[in-house]
Amino acid sequence: EADIYQTPRYLVIGTGKKITLECSQTMGHDKMYWYQQDPGMELHLIHYSYGVNSTEKGDLSSESTVSRIRTEHFPLTLESARPSHTSQYLCASSEYFAGGTEAFFGQGTRLTVV
Amino acid sequence: LAKTTQPISMDSYEGQEVNITCSHNNIATNDYITWYQQFPSQGPRFIIQGYKTKVTNEVASLFIPADRKSSTLSLPRVSLSDTAVYYCLVASSGGSYIPTFGRGTSLIVHP
């Protein structure tokens, strides 16, 4: 069973608010990822990290930012939420070394900005 | 990174075997083929991975021909609970690999 946790599971927030989506894993994985997915649509990579102090932007441009100060923690922040940010956000992690290793996903945070 | 192509959707009935084929013509020598399953409102879950020939686990089988330009995920005797989106990924063996998901195949199992 995957040991990766996202909080909150659901969040409804007003436009202009600052929010932080939390993601933590207890597997000691170096690589972590954030994906964004609208209902019935594909997952889009928005941020990833190879380890502490490493953050990169993904394929889909996002107004969110991330930080990686500790191996186990990879929070995503929106400074000023807008209705266009309404989506599901999925966090994942995997080991660093070679072999096509599997990614473990959290349960996701469904964000609604009103 | 090798691009993958798989059907957008498939329909089946309970008890049938389902085969989902994925094309990956540009797969590199050291790449693996990996499949994930995603239920509504959940994150994807790894189900199987292979390099060549056949791999089987308690969930599925993965068939990979000698040229490795395609692969087939086989789900034996599906049930309603197998209704999900199935993603085929080509995973680089390098440490810098980042999983990138396409549209996947939406499988609907009917009673």
Side-chain angles (χ1 to χ4, degrees):
Chain A
E1 187 166 324
D3 295 315
I4 179 163
Y5 309 99
Q6 291 186 243
T7 56
R9 286 292 311 277
Y10 304 93
L11 179 62
V12 180
I13 200 160
T15 298
K17 299 291 186 183
K18 177 180 178 179
I19 59 171
T20 296
L21 307 185
E22 301 289 348
C23 176
S24 295
Q25 51 95 5
T26 59
M27 296 172 282
H29 288 167
D30 287 314
K31 294 198 283 188
M32 295 189 74
Y33 322 91
W34 276 103
Y35 296 86
Q36 183 177 343
Q37 185 178 37
D38 293 326
M41 305 299 287
E42 65 185 279
L43 283 89
H44 292 285
L45 178 70
I46 52 175
H47 298 283
Y48 60 97
S49 167
Y50 286 117
V52 171
N53 294 326
S54 156
T55 60
E56 304 286 345
K57 290 189 179 294
D59 304 324
L60 180 69
S61 175
S62 173
E63 294 168 345
S64 59
T65 59
V66 292
S67 62
R68 191 85 184 277
I69 298 172
R70 302 198 315 266
T71 297
E72 62 271 22
H73 196 212
F74 192 40
L76 180 145
T77 299
L78 277 166
E79 290 293 334
S80 179
R82 296 208 300 266
S84 61
H85 296 140
T86 294
S87 190
Q88 174 160 260
Y89 293 83
L90 289 157
C91 180
S93 71
S94 67
E95 296 176 27
Y96 186 86
F97 54 83
T101 55
E102 67 179 280
F104 294 87
F105 280 81
Q107 290 284 68
T109 294
R110 182 161 298 282
L111 173 67
T112 302
V113 183
V114 297
Chain B
L1 194 64
K3 179 179 169 59
T4 60
T5 303
Q6 54 184 122
I8 295 294
S9 64
M10 294 182 70
D11 288 88
S12 184
Y13 292 89
E14 284 191 291
Q16 289 188 335
E17 178 184 74
V18 171
N19 296 308
I20 306 174
T21 297
C22 178
S23 298
H24 27 78
N25 291 319
N26 297 322
I27 190 168
T29 302
N30 296 326
D31 289 344
Y32 289 77
I33 296 114
T34 308
W35 285 81
Y36 288 79
Q37 174 191 57
Q38 185 181 26
F39 297 116
S41 300
Q42 294 187 24
R45 179 179 74 110
F46 171 91
I47 50 174
I48 199 165
Q49 176 179 286
Y51 182 78
K52 62 180 178 181
T53 62
K54 177 184 174 182
V55 180
T56 297
N57 62 22
E58 65 278 6
V59 176
S61 294
L62 179 60
F63 298 92
I64 305 167
D67 66 6
R68 303 198 333 119
K69 293 185 183 299
S70 66
S71 59
T72 299
L73 176 74
S74 181
L75 305 171
R77 298 179 299 282
V78 295
S79 63
L80 297 178
S81 63
D82 292 314
T83 293
V85 178
Y86 293 82
Y87 299 94
C88 167
L89 280 70
V90 171
S92 165
S93 60
S96 61
Y97 166 70
I98 302 295
T100 303
F101 294 78
R103 285 290 302 273
T105 298
S106 176
L107 171 66
I108 298 176
V109 180
H110 302 276

